[in-house]
């Protein structure tokens, strides 16, 4: 029986590239595995897979009765809906420890680094398996994406060394240029419906019983949002009502200015000030230096809701 | 600030030896750490520490405001009572994934092997730190204990190779003989109060909202319990009432005959038959081939209560 290797809902490049890279490794060490995905590819991920010649992993949303290796999260809200009926045989992740549990022993490779693919590289090294050139390429891109080309505070020495090693295997001379090409693809938001933009990198969290949705759009220049900000706000307001969420936050991240504007719709008017020390004005607030949802948004919000 | 490295409540040899071994490793790589424990040493653990010249780790039950590295479990019921007020920076474990969660990223080294110390050996190898002779000795003993000298179905090739490598470092020629000496210490139950025996290796689990206590005593010959079985049954009955538990099960494991007699006190008369396919007679049942609580008792019980 094959193990399905699958990332989170609304997959990002780390979830997709990680599933492909880990499934390859598992097959090499005699554990039949199939890379899968829970949703559509983002334009960035499509760009990466095309560049290195990969097809999208199998689209599969139901895993009842299957064995599953989870990539890039450990949260029920981000896992397949029927994960309770599957057997989780492993988790590779770089976030806080979520509420997934199992009834049998498993392998968890969780590290406080910038990207799951950095940990998957450690798994290749542990098993002594050589990384093929094309797989090194997609792993490298996933790390450049998650670490915002090393600018994110989540970026660690391990991530940088890993990118350098993978770039050499992949034969990429200027990986920072490739990283900027990726973020240019990400910045092309014109003509895309508001809902598609909001959902492009959107995660739900359970914070002390409150369902909190947090989306993030990382671009090279925030001015691309000037004409559509009101539309985005209308959409996250709708999203809050549809999903019976306590709050929805959309981070508009400027990777060159290195900060994020938050668009906030919440039941709790004091939430943002309690979490970040600055109050919203007209449901918007600029947080200087904030690039990372995982490290600079989620824990503070969780504490404010504890 | 130092990180406290601490195993589960009612610590076994894996929890104690693992805390010592991991704290040493962390100190070597520049992360100040202190080994701690949540309870008294078992006679087996005392024997191991004395043999290799170690003091017991610091007895400490409160961790509010501290950073903690958790050893040998990921369950709230087995963690310090105030763990929610501590920061969990890491987990090393070989059990099912429990209900501990965190609000910040952490490192988890969880593997489906027979003992946490086998994973701690992998951590030494990953960091390229040499294991001192005396630490190799206690790590080896913890693995021999958890794997019942390789007889347990939880034992993997990784555990056996790890013991062989540690025995060489520790300069132990006949590690199986040392293992039998440990189990002889474990088998000396005469004169010990029933409560002390029941609590010697006792763990509470949250199974679908039900609090289930499961103790285990591993001995070389079950006849040591002939005269005290009724006393043990009276005690687990009291323990069930005191802790408002749904069920308490005591495994009397014969490591030579390779099976366990279960003493069972439960609110759910059909539970044991649903879980293991054999009904109790007079609240007792012999399960041939059952040596492992983790692999042969807990998952089946969890499924029967799902």
């Amino acid at each position: 029986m094959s193990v399905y290797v699958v990332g989170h809902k609304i997959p990002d490049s780390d979830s997709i590239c990680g599933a492909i890279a880990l499934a390859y490794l598992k097959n090499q060490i005699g554990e039949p595995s199939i890379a899968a995905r829970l949703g559509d590819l983002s334009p960035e991920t499509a760009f990466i897979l095309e560049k290195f010649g990969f097809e999208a992993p199998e689209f599969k949303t139901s895993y009842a009765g299957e064995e599953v290796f989870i990539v890039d999260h450990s949260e029920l809200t981000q896992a397949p809906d029927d994960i309770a009926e599957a057997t989780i045989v492993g988790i590779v992740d770089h976030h806080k420890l979520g509420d997934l549990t199992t009834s049998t022993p498993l392998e968890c490779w969780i590290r406080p680094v910038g990207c799951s693919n950095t940990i998957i590289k450690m798994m290749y090294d542990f098993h002594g398996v050589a990384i093929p050139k094309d797989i090194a390429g997609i792993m490298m891109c996933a790390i450049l994406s998650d670490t915002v080309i090393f600018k994110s505070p989540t970026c660690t020495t391990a991530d940088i060394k890993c990118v350098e090693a993978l770039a050499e295997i992949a034969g990429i001379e200027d990986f920072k240029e490739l990283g900027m090409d990726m973020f240019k693809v990400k910045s092309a938001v014109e003509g895309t419906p508001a809902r598609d933009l909001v959902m492009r990198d959107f995660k739900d969290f359970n914070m002390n019983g409150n369902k909190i949705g947090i989306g993030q759009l990382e671009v090279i220049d925030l001015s691309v949002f000037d004409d559509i900000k009101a539309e985005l706000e209308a959409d996250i307001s709708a999203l809050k009502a549809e999903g019976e969420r306590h709050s929805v936050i959309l981070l508009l991240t400027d990777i060159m200015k290195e900060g994020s504007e938050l668009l906030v719709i919440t039941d709790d008017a004091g939430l943002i000030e309690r979490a970040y020390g600055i109050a919203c004005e007209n449901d918007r607030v600029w947080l200087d230096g904030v690039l990372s949802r995982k490290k600079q948004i989620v824990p503070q919000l969780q504490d404010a809701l504890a």
Side-chain angles (χ1 to χ4, degrees), chain A:
Chain A
M1 182 166 128
S2 286
V3 171
Y4 284 96
V5 183
V6 66
H8 51 72
K9 287 176 177 168
I10 310 173
D12 60 359
S13 297
D14 195 20
S15 274
I16 298 289
C17 300
I20 294 170
L22 183 53
Y24 177 86
L25 169 62
K26 288 285 176 184
N27 282 311
Q28 291 302 109
I29 59 172
E31 299 175 14
S33 298
I34 299 166
R37 63 187 162 95
L38 294 181
D40 293 337
L41 299 187
S42 73
E44 180 198 72
T45 309
F47 169 84
I48 296 169
L49 295 193
E50 202 202 329
K51 179 159 181 71
F52 292 97
F54 286 94
E55 298 291 318
E58 179 180 333
F59 177 66
K60 180 176 168 71
T61 56
S62 173
Y63 294 84
E66 304 286 359
E67 295 193 338
V68 179
F69 203 116
I70 297 280
V71 175
D72 201 33
H73 73 96
S74 61
E75 308 267 347
L76 273 171
T77 52
Q78 296 171 29
D81 289 334
D82 58 359
I83 192 69
E85 293 158 66
T87 302
I88 301 175
V89 298
I91 298 174
V92 54
D93 188 30
H94 65 119
H95 299 86
K96 70 191 181 73
L97 188 59
D99 51 4
L100 280 179
T101 60
T102 67
S103 57
T104 47
L106 76 169
E107 59 175 311
C108 293
W109 298 69
I110 302 175
R111 299 288 181 280
V113 296
C115 183
S116 298
N117 275 276
T118 299
I119 309 165
I120 293 170
K121 168 75 159 59
M122 294 177 195
M123 297 173 78
Y124 271 88
D125 293 344
F126 177 83
H127 290 292
V129 172
I131 305 177
K133 194 171 171 172
D134 51 356
I135 287 185
I138 61 172
M139 291 172 72
M140 184 195 74
C141 285
I143 303 170
L144 289 168
S145 172
D146 263 16
T147 62
V148 192
I149 318 176
F150 307 157
K151 289 182 179 187
S152 170
T154 62
C155 185
T156 66
T157 313
D159 299 299
I160 297 170
K161 284 191 178 164
C162 188
V163 164
E164 289 167 354
L166 292 168
E168 192 160 327
I169 296 168
I172 304 286
E173 275 183 32
D174 191 343
F175 58 76
K176 291 202 176 179
E177 191 189 357
L178 175 53
M180 279 306 285
D181 288 345
M182 275 168 36
F183 278 96
K184 279 177 202 155
V185 171
K186 244 183 172 166
S187 301
V189 300
E190 223 181 22
T192 309
R195 175 59 54 97
D196 290 5
L197 287 177
V198 169
M199 296 308 289
R200 187 171 280 177
D201 176 10
F202 187 88
K203 290 179 181 175
D204 276 315
F205 297 86
N206 177 350
M207 295 191 184
N208 199 22
N210 304 298
K211 186 176 173 188
I212 313 285
I214 310 178
Q216 183 171 24
L217 291 166
E218 294 164 314
V219 297
I220 288 171
D221 184 343
L222 279 200
S223 68
V224 299
F225 297 119
D226 285 351
D227 295 340
I228 56 170
K229 221 175 269 183
E231 251 180 280
L232 292 172
E233 286 174 324
D235 191 71
I236 63 172
S237 183
L239 206 58
K240 177 176 175 302
E242 288 162 27
E244 293 177 357
R245 293 177 176 87
H246 172 281
S247 307
V248 177
I249 300 173
L250 183 63
L251 278 73
L252 304 178
T253 299
D254 189 316
I255 73 161
M256 303 311 289
K257 293 202 184 70
E258 304 194 9
S260 295
E261 182 173 30
L262 273 55
L263 311 184
V264 181
I265 308 286
T266 177
D267 289 338
D268 179 346
L271 180 63
I272 295 299
E273 187 162 12
R274 288 204 310 283
Y276 310 113
I278 313 178
C280 285
E281 275 184 47
N282 298 323
D283 301 328
R284 299 176 185 180
V285 65
W286 169 259
L287 298 181
D288 209 46
V290 167
L291 292 172
S292 165
R293 170 171 52 192
K294 174 177 95 165
K295 205 156 181 167
Q296 297 171 296
I297 295 294
V298 170
Q300 294 77 358
L301 211 57
Q302 196 156 17
D303 287 349
L305 285 165

